[in-house]
Amino acid sequence: MRGLQKFKKLSWETLRWAYHKFPLPLAKKQRLRTTFVMAARQAMGSVKVCWSWLRLKTRKSAMPMPSNGQRFPLRREKKYGSTFERYYDTTLHRHPDYTDRKSSREAINTSIKLIAFYLPQFHPIPENNEWWGEGFTEWTNVSKSVPQFDGHHQPHLPGELGFYDLRLPEVQKQQAELARLYGVYGFCFYHYWFGGRKLLERPMEQLLAHPEIDINFCLCWANENWTRRWDGLEEHILLGQNHSDEDDAAFIADIAKAFRDPRYIRVEGKPLLMLYRPKLLPNPLRTSNIWRDWCRNNGIGEIFLVTVQSFDVVDPKEIGFDAATEFPPLNFPIRAITDTIKSINPDFTGTIYDYRVMAAKSESYDSSPYELYRAVMPSWDNSARRPGNGHIHFYSEPKAYEQWLHNACTDSVVNLPESRRFVFVNAWNEWAEGAHLEPDRHYGYAYLDATAKVLTRHPKAETSGKFAAEKIAIVLHLYYTDLWSEIRESLANLPEGFRLFITLDQHVDEMVVREIRASYPYARIYKKENRGRDILPFIDLVLDIKKFACEYVCKIHSKKSLHLMDGNKWRRDIYDKLLGSPSTILDILKKFESNPAVGIIGPEAHLLDVEYFWGTNKQTVLALASEFDLGTIGSGYKFVAGSMFWARTSAIEALAEMGLQSKFEEEKGQIDGTLAHAIERLIPLVASSRKFITVDTSTEVEACAPPNAAGGKKYAYAKGMPD
């Protein structure tokens, strides 16, 4: 045993001599020293050796030396901090993805409204002084956190903004400038209200008092009890909620002044209010009605209510709300990997999760029966609040966050109109939970830089003349998938940002979907039973088109008409007249603008007089017209042959209200006499019942003249055409 001690001592003296003689800059030697000690601490055994080695920076260090026999202090104690203060010197241990601030950046053109949750607990208040100690702020926990295992990024230390105090309006101004620089649309402030008593309200009040702070904002009522625990559970309540009708009315009256601020975030003109825990309300539906009534009666008007899927997941429609938002990491798939990580704290009782599992959910989102906003988090680690017992999402790095955010934004573009294209981030400044976009000393501006990169990939829709592309919908029934490349050439003439809805046969090969996504990642793709030809899929999508606030729709399909010798020529002629060039499309849109009575525009020479082209469909058409009170079909009534046309959404939305979906026949290769053929002839009458007229692309619509009837009796592509 004595020989082993002599060997360790000799080894130590040799290493110390080599350290001082080694020809490297001091900073590099310190880095090597720390890395070596932490890797070899078990083999070196003696705590004296480890501690002496770490004291090499100054030989007269005041660092206390452990007594003989004491093991290396790996527990979270006071003596634990000094060692790791040097070990995690962030100036020496920047992550490879560390990014500096951009000195300037062009304004980011994005259709995404990225809202970051904002914690106001960065200034002292009397309640926190009493409950947690004098001068307590979020920084109190953040600054004393330590790593629990190798590679554990703790503590999270702030970068440019420092350990700021939110009592200073200059800090909020800096935050706002930083957020705008990297494309963040606004902040969602947590609002703490307890039966008329407010906590941490100063930053919000300060923002309202300083209109020069240029940032959009909204409020989220954190309506849970204030407890001694940090998870919102009921034990050790410090300040409780007392919900009532009177409290609901008082709450909405108190925040109404924020609604009136021009910077307040609105959804189609309605102030956005969020609720953190809807199930904690005795009757959330009643609460929402009280809030709405108060706002209507006090000059606010309609409001837009969003529930946060934190601990509660409810259908917002059932409680009188308009939408919901995700809130990671809560209610997300997780996988614990604690057993695979070697802890350096033997008393660690927390749980380590794989961040990548949660982010992977975004590769294939589940559809939602209600309006749901996607949310992401840069990272999550509440070790600062729960020392040695935190929930840590490991492997969270800027690149993984970037991919998650990109997927969330793509899903939002696909499923939400631009006016409601919100994506939330948890959070802007949750430092004690390791969830912050604000720069730190480890990654710098890497997370903000990743945010800006993603947002630029999702620009606002282009404008064609006076027409915004997001107001344009293309509905394509792609039964013959081999025609995709031909149709794609026509779609290329549209302004970027139009809405593309594609219906496919339910048995289509997934390769087709991937090929479409390669060109149009935002396309909404539906797999449908082969029934009702192109008509039933179109009817099914009318309400979706309306949901996205698309004003104009172009209906096309992969028409082959195999019973005709010139079916391909027919299809190409129609495509050319509806989507043949950017100027063709603009001319059609101008027809809608110049005459509000125009409801449907068909391709020139494809508007036919129904008197000569009833086929075997007359009885069905007349019966439907009578059943749905669409009016009479008089002399000169024309329909669009081939059922490809442009239309105002308002002119054809009644198709979805007729409830015909279950009446379409099974597909048997019919060339006439089906419900689809009847509705093809009925569509202009549906528009007429809404006071719209049907014209073709050659019509001068200013005079409201009917289309030239020269092509009405004869049709070059009709089989059995009359003489």
Side-chain angles (χ1 to χ4, degrees), residues 553-556 572-581 583-592 594 598-608 638-640 644-647 693-702 705-708:
V553 55
C554 178
K555 177 188 176 300
I556 57 174
R572 290 167 186 151
D573 184 57
I574 292 175
Y575 289 174
D576 186 60
K577 289 173 177 175
L578 296 179
L579 297 167
S581 68
S583 60
T584 297
I585 296 167
L586 183 57
D587 287 344
I588 290 172
L589 294 173
K590 285 180 176 178
K591 291 182 188 296
F592 285 119
S594 61
V598 173
I600 296 175
I601 301 176
E604 181 184 0
H606 293 270
L607 234 62
L608 305 183
K638 295 177 176 63
F639 71 98
V640 183
M644 289 190 269
F645 51 81
W646 280 87
I693 63 173
T694 299
V695 300
D696 71 19
T697 52
S698 68
T699 306
E700 297 295 332
V701 298
E702 290 84 352
N708 191 324

Side-chain angles (χ1 to χ4, degrees), residues 119 122 138 142 145 152-157 355 377-385 391-393 396 426-438 440 443 447:
L119 182 70
F122 291 92
E138 200 74 359
V142 171
S145 184
H152 185 199
H153 170 33
Q154 282 291 351
H156 285 236
L157 300 176
Y355 174 93
M377 65 182 193
S379 58
W380 177 272
D381 178 0
N382 63 356
S383 299
R385 287 181 172 175
H391 288 188
I392 303 162
H393 288 266
S396 57
N426 185 26
W428 174 258
N429 62 342
E430 283 276 11
W431 284 89
E433 292 179 344
H436 53 87
L437 287 180
E438 287 182 330
D440 68 3
Y443 286 107
Y447 282 102

Side-chain angles (χ1 to χ4, degrees), residues 16-251:
R16 184 170 64 174
W17 176 85
Y19 175 81
H20 287 292
K21 298 296 183 180
F22 205 63
L24 280 177
L26 179 60
K28 288 187 177 181
K29 288 200 292 187
Q30 289 173 343
R31 188 184 306 128
L32 286 172
R33 173 203 69 196
T34 304
T35 303
F36 175 80
V37 170
M38 298 309 297
R41 61 186 182 276
Q42 297 299 327
M44 295 178 72
S46 170
V47 177
K48 278 191 176 183
V49 172
C50 292
W51 278 63
S52 297
W53 183 255
L54 290 167
R55 293 171 71 237
L56 278 174
K57 186 173 182 180
T58 56
R59 297 193 179 191
K60 296 181 179 180
S61 171
M63 180 188 296
M65 185 73 87
S67 59
N68 289 336
Q70 182 180 355
R71 299 304 301 166
F72 190 67
L74 296 174
R75 300 182 182 182
R76 181 176 164 76
E77 301 168 353
K78 290 183 179 179
K79 55 190 175 184
Y80 191 92
S82 297
T83 303
F84 285 95
E85 181 181 357
R86 292 199 185 118
Y87 177 53
Y88 277 86
D89 182 353
T90 52
T91 61
L92 299 179
H93 296 276
R94 287 181 173 180
H95 191 275
D97 290 337
Y98 184 94
T99 305
D100 291 317
R101 175 175 178 161
K102 304 296 183 184
S103 56
S104 63
R105 182 190 294 273
E106 292 183 5
I108 294 176
N109 170 30
T110 182
S111 66
I112 303 296
K113 296 177 180 178
L114 191 76
I115 300 177
F117 286 99
Y118 183 101
L119 182 70
Q121 192 166 234
F122 291 92
H123 66 288
I125 59 173
E127 291 85 355
N128 276 341
N129 289 342
E130 176 185 348
W131 296 330
W132 307 104
E134 196 68 25
F136 176 88
T137 73
E138 200 74 359
W139 299 123
T140 305
N141 288 329
V142 171
S143 59
K144 63 186 181 183
S145 184
V146 295
Q148 302 296 309
F149 52 87
D150 288 339
H152 185 199
H153 170 33
Q154 282 291 351
H156 285 236
L157 300 176
E160 170 192 336
L161 299 175
F163 294 96
Y164 54 74
D165 186 333
L166 286 181
R167 292 174 295 185
L168 301 174
E170 293 82 4
V171 169
Q172 288 183 290
K173 185 177 180 180
Q174 280 183 286
Q175 291 174 321
E177 291 172 349
L178 196 59
R180 288 199 321 276
L181 180 65
Y182 287 90
V184 176
Y185 180 73
F187 295 150
C188 180
F189 282 74
Y190 287 117
H191 187 70
Y192 300 94
W193 166 278
F194 303 87
R197 183 176 176 181
K198 292 183 286 187
L199 298 183
L200 301 170
E201 74 280 6
R202 179 163 177 171
M204 184 72 257
E205 299 289 346
Q206 188 167 262
L207 180 63
L208 294 175
H210 287 268
E212 74 278 7
I213 300 176
D214 187 11
I215 191 67
N216 300 314
F217 68 94
C218 63
L219 295 177
C220 175
W221 182 17
N223 63 311
E224 56 190 5
N225 294 327
W226 194 287
T227 69
R228 189 164 288 280
R229 294 183 61 177
W230 293 101
D231 53 12
L233 299 180
E234 299 304 309
E235 296 89 342
H236 309 293
I237 295 175
L238 300 173
L239 191 58
Q241 295 285 355
N242 186 18
H243 298 295
S244 66
D245 290 357
E246 294 75 19
D247 187 56
D248 290 340
F251 167 79

Side-chain angles (χ1 to χ4, degrees), residues 559-576:
K559 192 173 185 67
K560 283 194 174 181
S561 298
L562 300 176
H563 61 289
L564 299 177
M565 294 185 62
D566 51 4
N568 289 335
K569 181 180 178 183
W570 184 6
R571 179 186 67 251
R572 290 167 186 151
D573 184 57
I574 292 175
Y575 289 174
D576 186 60

Side-chain angles (χ1 to χ4, degrees), residues 74 287 335 552:
L74 296 174
T287 295
R335 184 176 70 206
Y552 310 106

